[in-house]
Amino acid sequence: MARTRKKSSSNSDAQTIPGLTTVKTKRGFYDKQVLNLFLISQFGIDVFAEYTKAGTRKRIRPFRVLTENLIHTQEGLADDGLHHFYHALCGSNFFVLDRLLFPPGKLLQYEQNIVECTNKINASRNTPIAWKYYQWLTLLFVEIYLDRYFSSPEQLLNELNEFVARFNKYQKQQEHEELIIKPYRLEDLNKICLQN
């Protein structure tokens, strides 16, 4: 029998198989962003673990674990010409607990690149850009990805596909086999999509 998809008004996907009852899965858009999850994991966050907000039982996504110190951080540049977000991230547990999967010195290089590009953009604007924390993190993710892609695309491919294998294993364990994805090929890595 052919399987058809039926749109649902909620965040869940509803699958209808003729002659059977409807099966709903509660996997949303964020669970399908494998590259985003891979980049979050570069900060030593286990993106397949469940996290709760401190002092509550409320579940939070891995991205929120990363942004916890950034959400209430002042926008703009500090006196040293670097973003306040950079300083907040450097003062977070990711550095204290040595969880980063890239050299901490790289973060300064990425931040300097972001500042340089931002200054070039702002030079021709009446109102300078002051990035929101999630926009700054997007720029940081792009810096990490491009650095990895241009310095060693084969290594990036191997690490990304190791992550895809973990992602697929997790989806099977959660009985979400419809979310399993194919391994990346080298030619897939020359394009990225940004979502805020």
Side-chain angles (χ1 to χ4, degrees):
M1 288 188 180
R3 184 181 275 196
T4 59
R5 283 208 175 261
K6 190 181 199 179
K7 288 200 173 187
S8 170
S9 60
S10 69
N11 269 351
S12 64
D13 295 331
Q15 296 180 347
T16 304
I17 302 172
L20 298 176
T21 58
T22 299
V23 176
K24 290 188 178 184
T25 58
K26 293 185 178 184
R27 300 312 266 180
F29 174 73
Y30 297 105
D31 298 315
K32 300 174 187 177
Q33 294 184 315
V34 175
L35 184 56
N36 183 278
L37 293 173
F38 171 75
L39 289 166
I40 292 169
S41 76
Q42 298 303 291
F43 290 86
I45 297 172
D46 181 355
V47 297
F48 305 114
E50 288 193 14
Y51 298 94
T52 55
K53 189 171 180 150
T56 71
R57 290 185 178 185
K58 182 180 178 186
R59 284 190 61 211
I60 59 173
R61 298 190 180 281
F63 182 74
R64 286 289 172 219
V65 174
L66 181 60
T67 63
E68 196 168 327
N69 287 0
L70 304 179
I71 291 174
H72 302 292
T73 300
Q74 178 182 351
E75 296 171 5
L77 302 177
D79 292 338
D80 63 359
L82 302 175
H83 286 94
H84 292 288
F85 302 128
Y86 165 78
H87 292 295
L89 192 58
C90 287
S92 69
N93 287 338
F94 300 107
F95 290 86
V96 174
L97 302 176
D98 197 29
R99 297 181 348 185
L100 291 177
L101 299 184
F102 56 88
K106 281 285 196 181
L107 187 60
L108 176 59
Q109 178 187 339
Y110 300 147
E111 168 60 5
Q112 289 169 335
N113 291 345
I114 293 169
V115 168
E116 181 182 344
C117 290
T118 303
N119 288 339
K120 285 180 183 178
I121 293 169
N122 284 340
S124 62
R125 294 177 53 93
N126 292 331
T127 306
I129 293 173
W131 303 115
K132 305 289 185 199
Y133 74 92
Y134 53 88
Q135 294 169 322
W136 180 82
L137 269 176
T138 299
L139 296 172
L140 180 60
F141 283 4
V142 170
E143 284 292 326
I144 294 168
Y145 184 84
L146 292 177
D147 181 44
R148 303 281 311 280
Y149 176 74
F150 286 111
S151 64
S152 182
E154 292 83 10
Q155 182 179 352
L156 173 62
L157 177 66
N158 291 337
E159 290 179 21
L160 189 53
N161 281 334
E162 287 172 15
F163 184 83
V164 166
R166 288 181 51 221
F167 175 85
N168 288 342
K169 180 180 178 183
Y170 175 79
Q171 298 307 336
K172 283 181 185 178
Q173 291 170 344
Q174 300 298 313
E175 298 181 4
H176 295 294
E177 295 191 18
E178 72 280 2
L179 296 180
I180 291 174
I181 66 167
K182 294 178 185 176
Y184 285 91
R185 299 167 300 163
L186 195 57
E187 57 267 21
D188 296 329
L189 301 185
N190 67 355
K191 49 193 146 321
I192 57 175
C193 175
L194 304 176
Q195 177 71 34
N196 270 330

